[in-house]
Amino acid sequence: MGAVSLLPLILGLLLPGVAAAHVPGPVAAPPSLWEWNLAPWLLALLLGSGVLYAHGIRRLWRSAGRGRGIPMTAVVAFALGWLTLVLALVSPLDPLGGRLFSAHMVQHELLMVVAAPLLVMGRPLAAWTWAFEPPVRQALGRTARTAPVQAVWQVLTEPMIAWGLHAVALWSWHVPSLFTAALENEGLHVLQHFTFFASALFFWWAALGHDPRRGQGTGQAIALLFTTMLHTAALGALLSLAPTPWYEPYIATTNALGIDPVDDQQLGGLVMWVPAGLAYVVVALVLLGRLITRQGREGRPRVH
């Protein structure tokens, strides 16, 4: 089965829940620590994606043997990515993000820098495919191999295109007029979270989806990660060093919580600048270390 066979399922099972994050309402009392986002449809989407993945893994391992096809490490990665989505979208972090810019940035980074790569490493497309009966899997495979589907997938996962789409999404939505419009309009906010998470999925697929055993694309993946670290750090620095708030809706909400809006924005910028940037560097260094080790083994003379 091709990797694109369940592309609509990613959009149907994960992206709607990600997109429907908070939209700040009128200034209200500080949110309770126990204020969770328990929207039934959101919980259903998250539960559905997890159950479908688990069912697919169970059927695959029953057929091929435990750990074959999709290894245990990939299953753990998906589980951690799924739990990160729950943390970002269901926990009190979600409503708090409607009142604090810094909380909003933590939510965005969890979606783009933690959940997205873990889900990619979890190989959910293959697992979800195996959740269906053989006739359905065969039909999905035939659909995935059609020229239009292959063309769209190749475009969206082409490294430079995926890198560019993610960069454009990140920078454009942080333009004050667009970010403010998204805070004040539910439809735009849905579109903002959709583009953040979807572009992150395609970016991480481009960076991590190559065959590590052959080293295909490893050098390019390292370049993608380092350059993304640079431009996201630049955006984080601009937010942190700005002397005035960029986003007007947060002025009232942060003041209502007794927090200075500039301090809140600086903290949000630091979240993007330091820990998120460090994540890109760590992954790039891991890939570089594996590449050097592999090349060293290939260049080592054989002892007969």
Side-chain angles (χ1 to χ4, degrees):
M1 299 291 288
V4 298
S5 58
L6 282 183
L7 179 58
L9 276 175
I10 273 194
L11 303 180
L13 290 173
L14 292 179
L15 294 180
V18 170
H22 53 266
V23 174
V27 176
S32 167
L33 179 64
W34 303 108
E35 183 180 347
W36 294 69
N37 180 12
L38 300 178
W41 60 268
L42 172 60
L43 298 180
L45 287 170
L46 288 169
L47 182 62
S49 64
V51 169
L52 196 66
Y53 184 91
H55 184 53
I57 291 296
R58 183 178 64 85
R59 296 185 67 167
L60 172 61
W61 285 358
R62 180 188 297 172
S63 173
R66 182 179 179 86
R68 294 183 176 272
I70 298 178
M72 179 62 73
T73 53
V75 175
V76 172
F78 180 87
L80 293 175
W82 187 89
L83 290 173
T84 302
L85 287 180
V86 173
L87 174 62
L89 301 173
V90 180
S91 79
L93 178 63
D94 179 65
L96 188 60
R99 295 172 172 86
L100 289 176
F101 175 76
S102 55
H104 203 168
M105 289 302 96
V106 170
Q107 183 187 45
H108 287 175
E109 298 309 318
L110 285 174
L111 294 175
M112 294 187 290
V113 184
V114 182
L118 287 171
L119 292 173
V120 166
M121 289 187 291
R123 301 176 60 187
L125 299 179
W128 286 339
T129 301
W130 270 90
F132 296 96
E133 296 295 329
V136 178
R137 293 204 301 268
Q138 294 169 6
L140 290 171
R142 289 191 296 269
T143 301
R145 289 189 292 270
T146 60
V149 175
Q150 287 289 327
V152 171
W153 180 261
Q154 289 174 6
V155 168
L156 292 175
T157 58
E158 198 283 325
M160 290 308 301
I161 292 178
W163 181 92
L165 288 174
H166 190 46
V168 168
L170 191 66
W171 279 85
S172 61
W173 280 115
H174 283 88
V175 172
S177 58
L178 286 179
F179 199 99
T180 298
L183 288 173
E184 296 175 341
N185 182 280
E186 183 176 2
L188 286 177
H189 202 235
V190 166
L191 180 62
Q192 181 194 59
H193 277 214
F194 179 92
T195 53
F196 278 159
F197 188 61
S199 66
L201 287 173
F202 290 122
F203 168 81
W204 285 103
W205 185 278
L208 302 176
H210 59 278
D211 187 346
R213 295 169 299 178
R214 299 181 181 179
Q216 295 175 346
T218 302
Q220 189 173 43
I222 293 170
L224 294 179
L225 290 164
F226 272 118
T227 53
T228 299
M229 179 274 294
L230 291 175
H231 78 72
T232 56
L235 178 56
L238 289 173
L239 288 164
S240 296
L241 300 175
T244 58
W246 283 13
Y247 310 116
E248 185 177 352
Y250 280 119
I251 296 176
T253 56
T254 52
N255 282 328
L257 295 174
I259 298 173
D260 183 88
V262 174
D263 291 342
D264 179 47
Q265 180 174 288
Q266 290 175 344
L267 179 58
L270 284 173
V271 168
M272 181 183 295
W273 188 354
V274 181
L278 183 61
Y280 293 114
V281 173
V282 168
V283 176
L285 290 176
V286 169
L287 292 179
L288 179 61
R290 290 179 178 177
L291 178 62
I292 293 173
T293 301
R294 183 167 53 250
Q295 291 178 340
R297 290 174 179 173
E298 292 174 353
R300 187 181 305 164
R302 296 182 180 180
V303 178
H304 299 282

